[in-house]
């Protein structure tokens, strides 16, 4: 089983790349953001809790998100691994994930694939996505909050995996296809 995570700031193109990679390598695309949006659409208790937090551009608690990830891993069948998208988003989540994988006889994540994109380009992409997808958390104020959360809580996750020799950086300031081909080259080297 391969355990990969796509990492990067909001708007880096994680979701787009994740779909393409998951299809190519028969991986389960595990997007915590997508799971939460489904909970909101279903009107569940968790969905109600998540809606307020997401609409402010803040993060849900580490334990709640880890429980969602565990559930998704344990209920998925017929996949050759997992591609995490939007998780881990804090060092605490990375540690919880490590603990979980170690308890299941895995050496933690195989790699964190970090997509780096220039900040102005990120804002431009997110505002464009807001217009196309109509995501409620893509307004200018919420985008600012999401970047702040990224700077404060998420960025350090890359250092955590750098320390394990597992953080691999990709230049995301290129076309979708170019970034994808670079990721494919890296993943082919891992398997
Ligand atoms: P995303 O689609 O990954 O950009 O996630 C959308 C929103 O869902 C985020 O801004 C957070 O409010 C919430 N969320 C998604 N993944 C996580 C996570 N790993 N930890 C905490 N909150 C999350």
């Amino acid at each position: 089983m391969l355990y990969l995570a796509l990492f990067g700031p909001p708007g880096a193109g994680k979701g787009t790349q994740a779909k393409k990679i998951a299809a190519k390598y028969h991986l389960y695309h595990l997007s915590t953001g997508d799971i939460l949006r489904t909970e909101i659409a279903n009107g569940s208790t968790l969905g109600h809790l998540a809606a307020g937090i997401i609409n402010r551009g803040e993060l849900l608690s580490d334990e709640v998100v880890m429980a969602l990830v565990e559930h998704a891993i344990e209920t998925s069948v017929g996949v050759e691994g997992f591609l995490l998208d939007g998780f881990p988003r804090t060092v605490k989540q990375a540690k919880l994930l490590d603990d979980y994988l170690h308890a299941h006889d895995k050496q933690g994540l195989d790699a964190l694939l970090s997509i780096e994109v220039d900040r102005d380009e990120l804002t431009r992409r997110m505002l464009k996505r807001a217009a196309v997808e109509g995501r409620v958390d893509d307004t200018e104020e919420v985008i600012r909050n999401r970047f702040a959360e990224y700077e404060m809580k998420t960025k350090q996750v890359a250092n955590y995996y750098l320390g394990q020799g597992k953080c691999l950086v990709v230049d995301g300031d290129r076309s979708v296809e170019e970034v994808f081909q670079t990721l494919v080259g890296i993943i082919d080297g891992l398997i």
Side-chain angles (χ1 to χ4, degrees):
M1 279 283 191
L2 194 62
Y3 287 86
L4 298 173
L6 266 188
F7 182 79
K14 298 187 293 291
T16 306
Q17 295 296 339
K19 286 189 187 72
K20 289 166 73 73
I21 293 167
K24 180 170 170 67
Y25 295 97
H26 310 289
L27 304 176
Y28 182 98
H29 174 200
L30 205 173
S31 157
T32 43
D34 283 352
I35 294 172
L36 291 168
R37 281 183 286 275
T38 302
E39 293 286 335
I40 294 172
N42 291 343
S44 69
T45 310
L46 173 61
H48 284 294
L49 169 86
I53 296 172
I54 291 179
N55 291 351
R56 290 192 298 274
E58 296 167 2
L59 297 184
L60 272 93
S61 92
D62 296 323
E63 287 74 15
V64 166
V65 179
M66 184 65 217
L68 292 175
V69 170
E70 283 189 36
H71 179 76
I73 290 177
E74 285 162 15
T75 54
S76 67
V77 282
V79 295
E80 290 170 26
F82 295 87
L83 181 60
L84 306 175
D85 164 11
F87 179 92
R89 238 177 172 102
T90 63
V91 172
K92 176 76 188 290
Q93 289 178 16
K95 289 183 176 163
L96 289 172
L97 177 66
D98 266 356
D99 290 346
Y100 174 80
L101 293 175
H102 291 154
H104 290 78
D105 293 330
K106 275 286 304 173
Q107 298 293 313
L109 268 189
D110 291 290
L112 183 87
L113 308 170
S114 175
I115 306 178
E116 291 192 346
V117 181
D118 171 77
R119 174 70 182 262
D120 289 343
E121 169 66 12
L122 286 174
T123 311
R124 199 186 60 75
R125 285 190 196 179
M126 287 182 75
L127 290 171
K128 188 172 161 207
R129 181 170 79 186
V132 176
E133 292 180 18
R135 269 178 58 156
V136 288
D137 56 347
D138 275 348
T139 64
E140 237 173 308
E141 192 196 338
V142 179
I143 289 171
R144 215 175 304 120
N145 269 347
R146 297 181 72 204
F147 279 133
E149 289 283 73
Y150 179 80
E151 292 290 329
M152 259 187 313
K153 300 175 183 166
T154 306
K155 236 165 102 172
Q156 298 92 307
V157 172
N159 292 334
Y160 177 81
Y161 287 104
L162 263 179
Q164 297 185 2
K166 291 179 175 176
C167 175
L168 305 169
V169 177
V170 172
D171 174 10
D173 257 326
R174 295 171 299 157
S175 72
V176 169
E177 200 49 39
E178 283 171 318
V179 175
F180 177 62
Q181 288 309 330
T182 305
L183 289 167
V184 165
I186 292 175
I187 297 167
D188 282 348
L190 291 171
I191 54 182

